[in-house]
Amino acid sequence: MYSKPTNGVSLLKQDTLYHMQPFAEFIENFRSNLHSVFYERANINELALTRKMPPFVMREIMGSQPLTIAIPKKYGGRGINVEEILTLLSVASYESLALSLTFGINIALFLTPVAKYGQENVKSRVFEKFVHHQNMGGLMITEPDYGSDALNMKTSYKDHGDHYHISGTKHWAGLTGWADYWLVTAREQARDGNLQRDIDFFIVDQNIPGQQIEVEEVYSNIGLYHIPYGKNKINLNVPKDQRLIPESTGLKMMLDILHRSRIQFPGMALGFIQRMLDDSIEHSHQRMIGRQTLFEYDQVQHRISKLQSYFTVCSALCLYSTRNSSIDMDMSVCALEANSVKTVMTDMMQEAAQSATQLVGAQAYKHDSMVGRGIMDSRPFQIFEGSNDILYAQIAENVVKMMKKVKQNNLYIFLSDLDLTAKAAPNLKSMINFDFDLNMAQRKLVQLGQVVSRIVAYRFVIDLEETPFRKDLIYNGLNILKQEISALMSVYQSVDEINVVDDYRDNSSWLECLTA
């Protein structure tokens, strides 16, 4: 899709140089490219208001071959090392959350699945296009009528001997109309017309006749301007070697892909949160209120300390992800960890943007403020790849299911015996040492899921204590999680429920109260 400038060096030789570079040199080259294109050749704040980056911007960004970071070495990539992937995502999100998500989509939702599940002869063709021609790829799962209910998707395929025919409709796929390759999900249609329960993934090459996906509508999304989303008509003939081969079932393959993606969210979150923190500190030191800087006010320091705490928690989650989400691991069984990491991290991204905007004040409401744009750009992260409300409920349902299995209804005792939370539970005993009804309402499940996810994050920050990471930042990170758990437990244990009043318009006019 993009042609990389060679500057007199043969394309093969330059690709080889990128492949052989030490990672520190590779990432510094990438960082320098971003700075050059965003601050010297173009204005990032003006670019942020466009629906699509100008070709020269993406050409120069892709010139440092960032996506080779998720391609196996045997195909000319750097190998799929999680610490390199998270670092790249972080460097990108410090400048542009949309750019980081673009890389995240390519890496977690296309390249890694193809590397793990793709058939050998197809992998060589696909990766060659990414290495030498800077192609891009995405994933299509969501459908207009089935949103988060992926198991009931209606996109179907039939076996036609030497190929599969796939038909249906997909929407809200990041990079709609832009990506060269897609992974498209579908269910097999049986002879009786019914769809099988299992899900299959197919590589679709937009450059091959019969595999072009028709974009029926491009959505006018209100954040992440650089990423096109839309509605897509699927009517494709795909060769059989372009079907991903699961290790067991397609459903487990999908869970492996999505859980690995969710557990690597901290890579995108870290750079973004650090940018919110740095911009807040800089503004607070420069802004004078009377005879003192904004930074000298206690409430301002409180907000900045929270941002630093989010940075610390995110750092801990990056460390955990690096150690526990490599391509050879089966992530299909890691729902509790993946959902906890995704929900906590995305909630903190949004809160960081809100808090930074409050600190920066009116200046944040200009289009050229990354802080203000951060509110809308970070908000979708709480929705896509599983709405946080749904994931919180799933976290709680998972915990309740395990508690029922061991016949335990005391939260503290159970979490003390669970490997994922055993380190954290003793520090939180006063808040979580209680029995509860395992048959709770959905809203209670969501609240319990919020609590458990932060206890999981608490454990990951404790693990950070075993590293050279600053102890004062770790202390603050643990405290912010403890405060959030305390607040959430207060809501969870409240006996007063707020209920919907369906016909609320009756007798609810304050004007009528004046004449009563």
Side-chain angles (χ1 to χ4, degrees), residues 312-368:
T312 302
V313 175
C314 189
S315 298
L317 268 55
C318 282
L319 181 65
Y320 178 81
S321 179
T322 298
R323 293 171 171 172
N324 296 275
S325 64
S326 64
I327 190 172
D328 59 328
M329 294 182 174
D330 178 14
M331 304 301 296
S332 67
V333 296
C334 300
L336 182 56
E337 302 95 307
N339 293 348
S340 295
V341 168
K342 191 270 186 181
T343 50
V344 169
M345 212 66 275
T346 55
D347 280 356
M348 287 186 173
M349 289 172 70
Q350 175 64 191
E351 182 57 32
Q354 294 282 355
S355 198
T357 298
Q358 188 69 30
L359 284 173
V360 174
Q363 296 299 319
Y365 285 89
K366 294 180 178 179
H367 277 301
D368 62 1

Side-chain angles (χ1 to χ4, degrees), residues 123-141:
K123 286 196 284 189
S124 60
R125 297 201 309 265
V126 171
F127 291 145
E128 190 274 337
K129 291 294 184 68
F130 277 79
V131 171
H132 296 293
H133 303 284
Q134 288 74 57
N135 278 194
M136 288 195 178
L139 171 65
M140 290 187 177
I141 293 181

Side-chain angles (χ1 to χ4, degrees), residues 288-333:
M288 297 296 298
I289 306 294
R291 294 185 176 181
Q292 61 182 9
T293 64
L294 189 62
F295 186 83
E296 295 175 75
Y297 285 86
D298 180 66
Q299 174 60 17
V300 172
Q301 293 188 14
H302 173 65
R303 284 193 178 275
I304 292 176
S305 68
K306 286 185 68 176
L307 290 172
Q308 289 179 337
S309 297
Y310 297 156
F311 168 79
T312 302
V313 175
C314 189
S315 298
L317 268 55
C318 282
L319 181 65
Y320 178 81
S321 179
T322 298
R323 293 171 171 172
N324 296 275
S325 64
S326 64
I327 190 172
D328 59 328
M329 294 182 174
D330 178 14
M331 304 301 296
S332 67
V333 296

Side-chain angles (χ1 to χ4, degrees), residues 55-71:
F56 85 90
V57 172
M58 286 306 298
R59 183 172 61 247
E60 293 205 9
I61 291 173
M62 298 301 288
S64 56
Q65 293 201 322
L67 295 182
T68 58
I69 210 163
I71 295 174

Side-chain angles (χ1 to χ4, degrees), residues 461-490:
V461 179
I462 291 176
D463 289 344
L464 200 61
E465 290 184 318
E466 300 170 3
T467 74
F469 200 91
R470 288 188 59 148
K471 299 303 182 278
D472 50 356
L473 290 178
I474 293 174
Y475 176 81
N476 288 342
L478 292 172
N479 277 344
I480 197 67
L481 287 170
K482 187 176 290 188
Q483 290 172 16
E484 290 192 7
I485 293 167
S486 177
L488 289 167
M489 285 305 307
S490 177

